[in-house]
Amino acid sequence: MITQQGTVIRHATGILLALTLALGAAMMSLALGARALPLDEVWRALWHFDPTRSADIIIWDMRMVRTLTGLATGAALAVSGLVMQQISRNPLADPGLLGVNAGAALAVVLAIWLMGWQDPARLSAMAVAGAGLAAMAVFTLSGGARAADGAAILRLTLAGIAVSALCLVFVSGVVMLDQGTRDLYRFWTIGALAGAQSDRLYRLLPLLGVGLGLAFLMARRLDALALGAQSAQGFGVRVGLSVAAGLVAVACLAGGSVALAGPIGFIGLIVPHLARRIVGPSLLPGLMVAAPLGGAVLLGCDALGRVLARPAEIQTGLVLGLVGGPVFLAMIGKIAK
């Protein structure tokens, strides 16, 4: 009983901590930029909007959509990374490392270049399709759920690197063919929150909601999958169906996040490890922590990029690369030991 109560307290504390960090990061995102605003002014603008005050206009018309997009994108990437690590039993799995983000980016770039699409609904559909195809390709090349644990980790990582590199090479080639797509090139190979649009966010929220809902719904089955395919079958879990549902959730979340902010990396790799450190290996509380924590990390890096290069800004993907690279190397060192 004491152990169970301690676990519940640990989970509740972790979730509360993650939500507090997300709220703090959102306030920081609203306050920082080319023009810094005091937190009390931000708070007043949130509750007592006045269209005659310039600070209120900056917050609601310029920074609010960017902040909400960062929260949604970070949550989607963190949850998709946690689900992918659970399915693959690979601590280095994430949508960026395993080619899912790159597949979504390639699908979107092809849609823009070949068909001239600009509508967020169409682009989000292409992003999801590209993410789904990349996820299926990587998982199939790695041997699927029937692969042995050691072989699965090596094959999944190598297949993901190969698929990601191939997709990004095509992305680079496509945008280089059109001299007017330099900004598109930077966006679809690095990722940023600078181009956040309210119309795109509102249209993609249902897609992200489907992915999040499916991830939470499959949490207990995916927990069993972490023990291996044979053990999961012993618990009555239909492995093929569970893996397929998990990949659909990853495709929706990764595809939607790419359509929102480009192929941002490292969130889906690092945040799941932080979530497990906070609440343990159980997937359901891990998802509850990873979602707000992912938004907090992404907004924190975005705010850092805006502050370091003021009045210009460093793209969010670059900041995450600088921060996430050393963390990723440290993680590899620990896993190797």
Side-chain angles (χ1 to χ4, degrees), residues 95-110 127 129-135 137-138 141 159-175 185 188-189 258 263:
L97 185 67
L98 297 186
V100 178
N101 285 354
L106 176 59
V108 171
V109 168
L110 288 175
L133 289 174
V138 170
L141 289 172
I161 292 172
V163 170
S164 181
L166 182 63
C167 290
L168 290 180
V169 164
F170 277 107
V171 170
S172 302
V174 167
V175 298
Y185 171 75
W188 288 113
T189 54
V258 168

Side-chain angles (χ1 to χ4, degrees), residues 21-330:
L21 290 174
L23 179 60
M27 292 294 291
M28 181 176 61
S29 177
L30 293 173
L32 298 177
R35 173 188 169 187
L37 299 173
L39 287 177
D40 59 339
E41 196 168 351
V42 173
W43 188 257
R44 177 190 48 75
L46 291 175
W47 294 101
H48 305 286
F49 174 72
D50 185 350
T52 64
R53 287 194 290 253
S54 60
D56 294 25
I57 295 174
I58 290 173
I59 291 172
W60 282 101
D61 291 352
M62 299 175 62
R63 296 182 183 176
M64 181 60 72
V65 174
R66 181 172 185 154
T67 299
L68 294 176
T69 299
L71 289 173
T73 302
L77 289 171
V79 170
S80 62
L82 186 56
V83 170
M84 183 162 279
Q85 289 177 12
Q86 198 82 358
I87 291 175
S88 63
R89 308 187 302 281
N90 181 359
L92 299 180
D94 90 306
L97 185 67
L98 297 186
V100 178
N101 285 354
L106 176 59
V108 171
V109 168
L110 288 175
I112 295 173
W113 182 54
L114 295 177
M115 293 170 280
W117 288 358
Q118 296 291 337
D119 179 60
R122 290 182 174 182
L123 293 182
S124 63
M126 291 298 296
V128 173
L133 289 174
M136 291 299 295
V138 170
F139 204 72
T140 301
L141 289 172
S142 70
R146 293 172 295 180
D149 288 349
I153 291 176
L154 178 60
R155 291 177 183 174
L156 198 72
T157 304
L158 293 177
I161 292 172
V163 170
S164 181
L166 182 63
C167 290
L168 290 180
V169 164
F170 277 107
V171 170
S172 302
V174 167
V175 298
M176 286 301 176
L177 291 176
D178 186 350
Q179 296 298 318
T181 57
R182 300 305 181 192
D183 290 337
L184 181 68
Y185 171 75
R186 289 195 296 268
F187 180 79
W188 288 113
T189 54
I190 298 174
L193 295 178
Q197 300 174 4
S198 58
D199 181 60
R200 180 180 297 176
L201 174 63
Y202 298 148
R203 291 193 180 189
L204 287 169
L205 280 179
L207 177 67
L208 298 181
V210 170
L212 286 172
L214 191 56
F216 277 92
L217 184 65
M218 299 299 298
R220 295 191 182 279
R221 293 180 177 85
L222 295 179
D223 263 335
L225 275 180
L227 302 174
Q230 293 182 348
S231 298
Q233 288 176 344
F235 286 107
V237 175
R238 298 174 63 181
V239 174
L241 182 61
S242 299
V243 169
L247 289 178
V248 170
V250 169
C252 290
L253 293 168
S257 66
V258 168
L260 279 174
I264 292 177
F266 289 110
I267 292 289
L269 176 65
I270 297 171
V271 173
H273 288 271
L274 296 177
R276 281 192 289 266
R277 282 181 175 271
I278 294 173
V279 295
S282 182
L283 184 58
L284 186 58
L287 294 174
M288 294 180 181
V289 169
L293 192 58
V297 172
L298 183 55
L299 285 182
C301 290
D302 181 57
L304 182 62
R306 283 186 277 171
V307 170
L308 291 178
R310 188 182 292 167
E313 65 179 79
I314 303 174
Q315 285 185 294
T316 314
L318 289 176
V319 179
L320 271 167
L322 294 173
V323 174
V327 175
F328 177 60
L329 292 175

